[in-house]
Amino acid sequence: MDIAVLGTGAVGRAIAARLDELGHHVVVGTRDPQATLARTGPDGMGNPPYAAWQGEHASVSLQTFGEAAAGAVVVVNATGGGATLEVLALAGADNLAGKVLVDIANPLDFSAGFPPTLSVKDTDSLGEQVQRTYPDSRVVKTLNTLNADLMVHPASLGEASTVFVSGEDAEAKALVTGLLESFGHEDVIDLGGIETARGAEMLLPVWLRLMGAFGHAKFNFKIVR
Amino acid sequence: MDIAVLGTGAVGRAIAARLDELGHHVVVGTRDPQATLARTGPDGMGNPPYAAWQGEHASVSLQTFGEAAAGAVVVVNATGGGATLEVLALAGADNLAGKVLVDIANPLDFSAGFPPTLSVKDTDSLGEQVQRTYPDSRVVKTLNTLNADLMVHPASLGEASTVFVSGEDAEAKALVTGLLESFGHEDVIDLGGIETARGAEMLLPVWLRLMGAFGHAKFNFKIVR
């Protein structure tokens, strides 16, 4: 499948590498490919330079957000929540129309320090904002509730855990559920329409506090029923 | 142990019955015991009249909020979030001082219909409001993340799941953890100080949507790690 992954951080790299490994044709999108490849130091989140990762994933090409989205049938938003709407605007509504748009971002607001709060919550969500802004795209909110490595290697926890999907389009959710299962997810819960992204995004505050209590991010929610 | 359970709804009854069964001396607190016992129809949430429940739990007495709290070493707030601060004021700061105050309530706001939103969240929580209002009490937030029956009979799920405690007082959290374990909880996670109640309370939005997706409330969060 032709898949664009928007974002070159830890989440984008993890998703792109796993999709590539699974045989998909993956293009990573960034603002300015030349600038991204020219960086030699760690990025703002401490990830090694993208060029080093690129060297280990030669079959994944790097293009602008718009070019990447244009050639894809599935577009994955793997940017930070604060950048999401700007990045999708750069990708372009025409390039996103009709596409399955997988939104992994969390609307975290770090302006008051750590732990961050949510810039939108409870009566709205980032997933809904994306769907409202791109009504011709089929938005599926998912994978925002666990860390990048577990998103794509859930079996490494040693016990099945849960991921969620929210969205208006049943076909798009089925396609995304299939991708999640190919990553190793055994329990994908369909929460309902894109409104239910409110619930999934509001898991972040307890996730952040669990990370604080454990001192690591190797954990996930499981819904026992 | 002398335990007061404030609230005569489904949560109050479940907690009181289980503590009674485990051999504690339990007093349920209500606004007006005569009026509560005189009701012959279901309450606002559809529970059968309290008097019927009382008949099956003869060793549990019913007193005013203040009387119940006065005689207890542990006070459980099992009222709705919208009533919590008023009920605790009726219980009285003197009767709550020095006590372990177990807060189970969720700050649900039903004013815009279902699903409810949270009247306080993200930058504050009901647990913190209670602790700020009663600085001489030792507030422990817990059990607000699962339904009344599972709070006290978690083994009925057939698989271990998780409950959380948040609070400033390590001794109070240890006491509450012991009570939770006596209910059958095998995984009690100490999230940290009372600030972490923000995380536990913000689980409600996804809990409500899971209930919608499943059509029942017999499920719980488990933190796989």
Side-chain angles (χ1 to χ4, degrees):
Chain A
M1 205 179 293
D2 288 308
I3 305 182
V5 176
L6 310 184
T8 57
V11 172
R13 295 180 198 186
I15 299 282
R18 186 73 162 129
L19 290 168
D20 176 53
E21 178 183 78
L22 291 168
H24 297 283
H25 175 240
V26 182
V27 176
V28 170
T30 191
R31 201 175 296 258
D32 178 343
Q34 298 295 98
T36 297
L37 290 170
R39 270 180 226 122
T40 53
D43 70 10
M45 300 294 279
N47 302 302
Y50 185 83
W53 183 90
Q54 177 78 86
E56 294 159 12
H57 299 85
S59 57
V60 177
S61 60
L62 186 69
Q63 300 181 355
T64 65
F65 291 126
E67 289 164 350
V73 293
V74 174
V75 178
V76 179
N77 171 36
T79 65
T84 288
L85 292 174
E86 185 197 351
V87 163
L88 293 178
L90 290 169
D94 287 353
N95 294 327
L96 297 172
K99 309 284 172 75
V100 174
L101 179 47
V102 182
D103 176 28
I104 303 184
N106 280 301
L108 299 179
D109 174 0
F110 289 88
S111 63
F114 197 89
T117 56
L118 298 176
S119 61
V120 57
K121 61 217 160 208
D122 208 12
T123 55
D124 198 4
S125 62
L126 182 60
E128 290 165 276
Q129 291 182 326
V130 170
Q131 183 63 83
R132 282 200 304 274
T133 310
Y134 298 96
D136 295 333
S137 300
R138 301 183 286 162
V139 177
V140 179
K141 184 94 202 185
T142 192
L143 288 184
N144 66 303
T145 55
L146 69 177
N147 100 323
D149 184 57
L150 291 176
M151 288 180 192
V152 294
H153 295 110
S156 68
L157 266 181
E159 180 182 340
S161 56
T162 301
V163 287
F164 310 97
V165 291
S166 302
E168 298 300 320
D169 188 301
E171 228 178 80
K173 285 193 286 193
L175 183 149
V176 172
T177 298
L179 287 174
L180 295 169
E181 288 170 349
S182 73
F183 291 172
H185 289 287
E186 297 174 36
D187 185 32
V188 182
I189 295 180
D190 183 350
L191 289 174
I194 192 66
E195 181 269 355
T196 62
R198 296 176 196 182
E201 294 178 10
M202 288 173 81
L203 283 168
L204 260 285
V206 81
W207 188 92
L208 290 159
R209 285 157 182 91
L210 285 164
M211 187 178 67
F214 297 153
H216 65 79
K218 195 166 178 177
F219 63 89
N220 190 25
F221 300 100
K222 175 180 182 175
I223 306 301
V224 178
R225 74 269 194 200
Chain B
M1 206 179 291
D2 289 308
I3 305 183
V5 177
L6 309 184
T8 58
V11 173
R13 294 180 200 187
I15 299 282
R18 187 73 163 127
L19 289 169
D20 177 54
E21 178 183 77
L22 291 168
H24 296 283
H25 176 240
V26 182
V27 177
V28 170
T30 190
R31 202 175 294 259
D32 178 345
Q34 297 295 98
T36 298
L37 290 169
R39 271 181 225 122
T40 54
D43 70 11
M45 300 294 281
N47 302 303
Y50 186 83
W53 183 89
Q54 176 77 86
E56 294 159 11
H57 300 85
S59 56
V60 177
S61 60
L62 186 68
Q63 300 181 355
T64 65
F65 291 126
E67 290 163 351
V73 293
V74 174
V75 178
V76 179
N77 171 37
T79 67
T84 288
L85 292 174
E86 185 198 351
V87 163
L88 294 178
L90 290 169
D94 287 354
N95 295 326
L96 297 171
K99 309 285 173 73
V100 174
L101 178 47
V102 182
D103 176 28
I104 302 184
N106 280 300
L108 299 178
D109 175 0
F110 289 88
S111 63
F114 196 89
T117 55
L118 298 177
S119 61
V120 57
K121 61 217 159 209
D122 208 12
T123 54
D124 198 4
S125 62
L126 182 59
E128 289 165 276
Q129 291 182 326
V130 171
Q131 184 62 83
R132 281 200 304 273
T133 311
Y134 299 96
D136 296 332
S137 300
R138 300 182 287 162
V139 177
V140 179
K141 184 94 202 183
T142 192
L143 288 183
N144 66 302
T145 56
L146 69 177
N147 99 323
D149 185 56
L150 291 176
M151 287 179 193
V152 295
H153 295 110
S156 69
L157 267 181
E159 180 183 340
S161 56
T162 301
V163 287
F164 309 97
V165 291
S166 301
E168 298 300 320
D169 188 301
E171 229 178 78
K173 285 194 285 193
L175 183 150
V176 171
T177 298
L179 288 174
L180 295 169
E181 289 171 348
S182 73
F183 291 172
H185 289 287
E186 297 173 35
D187 184 31
V188 182
I189 295 181
D190 183 350
L191 289 174
I194 193 65
E195 182 269 355
T196 63
R198 296 176 196 181
E201 294 178 10
M202 288 174 81
L203 283 168
L204 260 286
V206 82
W207 187 94
L208 290 159
R209 285 158 182 91
L210 286 164
M211 187 178 68
F214 297 154
H216 65 79
K218 194 165 178 176
F219 63 88
N220 191 25
F221 302 99
K222 174 179 182 174
I223 307 301
V224 178
R225 74 270 193 199

